[in-house]
Amino acid sequence: MSNYDVVVIGGGIVGAACAAELAGRGRRVALIERGRVASGTSAHCEGNLLVSDKGPGAELELSKLANAAWSKLAGTFRDELGGDFPDIEFEAKGGLVVATTEGGASALLDFAATQRGADIAAESVTLAEARELEPWLTDRVTAAVWYPGDSQVQPTIATEALVALARVRGASILEHHNVTGALREGGRLVGVRTSAGDVRGNDVVVAAGPWSGEVSAALGVPLPVRPRRGVVLVTAKMPQRVFHKVYDADYVGAVGSGDVGLMTSSVVESTPGGTVLIGSSREQIGFDDAFRANVLSQLAAKAISIFPFLAETAIIRSYSGFRPFMPDHLPLIGPDARLSGLWHATGHEGAGIGLSLPTASLIGDLMDGAEAQIDAAQFSPSRDTLAGVLDAVA
């Protein structure tokens, strides 16, 4: 049986970030993944690093730390991994949010004003200025806001880079280890039982994304994390016609909604490879990943309403993934008071790519007993907004 300082459960980007961070702080770390690393949610998303979709509050404060962290990582990760490692494709490209109705315009401009009050650069621009940024944009825009702080990264490569950093820093990467139960001594969690044997650790971090509810239940301490499915369309390669991250104002409302039914909005961006990614959808249907033509048709129609040229563009494939939804729309980061030795780094829904690095830093600071860059109590499993919710799933 192996013994570690920390066992991190989940080989997606949040788990990989936590493993790399904690190993970099000198801890003996095991990163456990039930399948292959970078094969779940982190391989089925767009790689958004956004401040534009978050209102003032805890998550926005965490997002402010993210771009600086990603910019730094993009410039330094090859120092440890070598120059041959693939580029993580970090792009500080900025984002343009547009409305195409009068009601949407009013809501967008009001939302941007609240963000400016939280020190976010949110610049209202005219249609002419918006079309300077995006020449192929529809002329039906009723309001537009430019967010220079929005960025993008290639999520699968970024996850693999963090796994590689964890390994270089001494972490053990244990794939095909499905967590089946808890190891407890004297009322404390001291490791996990897995399909490949027991793995002991002084602390255990659940970072299993939308599967965190299942994992925590297996450990005897359930969480209200539920999967929320999202679908993305991918176009054929083309000369670049989309230059920033562009989405319609409905996206903000979809992000903050707890509705279990299908919600779609338009998020459009190009990739360095020449394709265009089109999202986004949200629906709570468990882990059902069946093909649904109505979702794809809604995404296509909304994308065309922003970029009419897409009507003549071929879609070569689509893919879907599951995001870890929390009922109060905030991630869980920190120790679980119900079981000593248990920690959480999950519940980020669609923001996990961007928030992975500051989440890992916060976990590291809490474990070290160091002063964090942000108030950790906002993300604690013991926070007031979860009062009664944890009991309901126990």
Side-chain angles (χ1 to χ4, degrees):
M1 186 186 332
S2 301
N3 292 275
Y4 298 92
D5 296 323
V6 185
V7 177
V8 179
I9 304 172
I13 198 161
V14 175
C18 288
E21 178 73 23
L22 294 169
R25 293 180 183 229
R27 285 179 170 80
R28 292 175 297 115
V29 176
L31 177 63
I32 293 179
E33 165 57 40
R34 69 177 183 174
R36 298 293 300 273
V37 297
S39 64
T41 295
S42 299
H44 296 85
C45 58
E46 294 173 272
N48 291 334
L49 314 178
L50 303 182
V51 295
S52 56
D53 63 341
K54 300 171 183 66
E59 192 174 29
L60 182 59
E61 293 303 309
L62 196 63
S63 297
K64 289 181 181 180
L65 304 177
N67 265 9
W70 277 106
S71 181
K72 179 180 178 182
L73 181 70
T76 61
F77 77 99
R78 286 198 180 100
D79 294 345
E80 294 182 69
L81 300 183
D84 293 334
F85 199 92
D87 185 22
I88 64 173
E89 298 178 12
F90 172 76
E91 295 182 86
K93 59 169 56 176
L96 183 67
V97 185
V98 300
T100 56
T101 65
E102 292 304 324
S106 177
L108 172 59
L109 295 176
D110 288 347
F111 183 75
T114 68
Q115 290 177 302
R116 286 193 290 272
D119 296 325
I120 295 298
E123 179 185 347
S124 297
V125 294
T126 65
L127 171 59
E129 291 168 331
R131 296 194 76 178
E132 286 182 10
L133 292 165
E134 295 290 344
W136 295 86
L137 189 68
T138 178
D139 60 5
R140 295 176 54 248
V141 170
T142 54
V145 179
W146 167 243
Y147 289 90
D150 280 355
S151 300
Q152 178 179 324
V153 72
Q154 210 295 332
T156 305
I157 301 174
T159 303
E160 291 171 343
L162 288 166
V163 171
L165 284 172
R167 183 182 286 111
V168 165
R169 293 169 182 176
S172 298
I173 312 301
L174 308 179
E175 297 180 309
H176 306 295
H177 280 59
N178 187 38
V179 174
T180 58
L183 296 176
R184 301 194 188 200
E185 291 180 1
R188 192 184 196 283
L189 185 63
V190 294
V192 296
R193 300 191 182 281
T194 83
S195 56
D198 294 348
V199 183
R200 293 182 66 90
N202 297 332
D203 292 291
V204 175
V205 180
V206 175
W211 296 274
S212 294
E214 293 181 6
V215 171
S216 296
L219 299 179
V221 187
L223 289 179
V225 178
R226 300 194 300 270
R228 203 179 194 189
R229 189 189 189 204
V231 176
V232 176
L233 306 181
V234 185
T235 73
K237 291 184 178 181
M238 67 180 78
Q240 188 171 13
R241 294 181 181 177
V242 181
F243 299 92
H244 307 89
K245 191 175 294 291
V246 184
Y247 63 86
D248 70 56
D250 290 342
Y251 178 78
V252 174
V255 169
S257 171
D259 196 333
V260 299
L262 175 64
M263 302 181 70
T264 58
S265 55
S266 186
V267 181
V268 184
E269 62 189 297
S270 62
T271 71
T275 60
V276 172
L277 304 182
I278 299 171
S280 72
S281 67
R282 283 172 163 77
E283 56 183 332
Q284 292 185 39
I285 51 174
F287 285 102
D288 180 1
D289 63 353
F291 176 88
R292 288 178 173 79
N294 67 309
V295 178
L296 274 59
S297 64
Q298 286 189 36
L299 292 178
K302 291 194 173 184
I304 291 169
S305 72
I306 292 180
F307 286 106
F309 81 86
L310 289 171
E312 307 300 323
T313 302
I315 297 295
I316 59 172
R317 67 184 179 96
S318 68
Y319 60 88
S320 66
F322 299 98
R323 324 311 189 207
F325 173 84
M326 281 292 295
D328 66 350
H329 301 288
L330 280 177
L332 285 170
I333 307 171
D336 193 322
R338 298 173 296 173
L339 179 59
S340 180
L342 176 61
W343 297 69
H344 300 294
T346 188
H348 301 80
E349 202 186 327
I353 301 299
L355 299 183
S356 58
L357 297 184
T359 292
S361 294
L362 186 54
I363 289 286
D365 289 339
L366 290 169
M367 283 193 177
D368 285 348
E371 183 178 354
Q373 293 178 277
I374 193 171
D375 179 12
Q378 303 172 99
F379 307 100
S380 169
S382 302
R383 62 185 182 251
D384 290 343
T385 51
L386 293 182
V389 177
L390 294 184
D391 294 336
V393 297

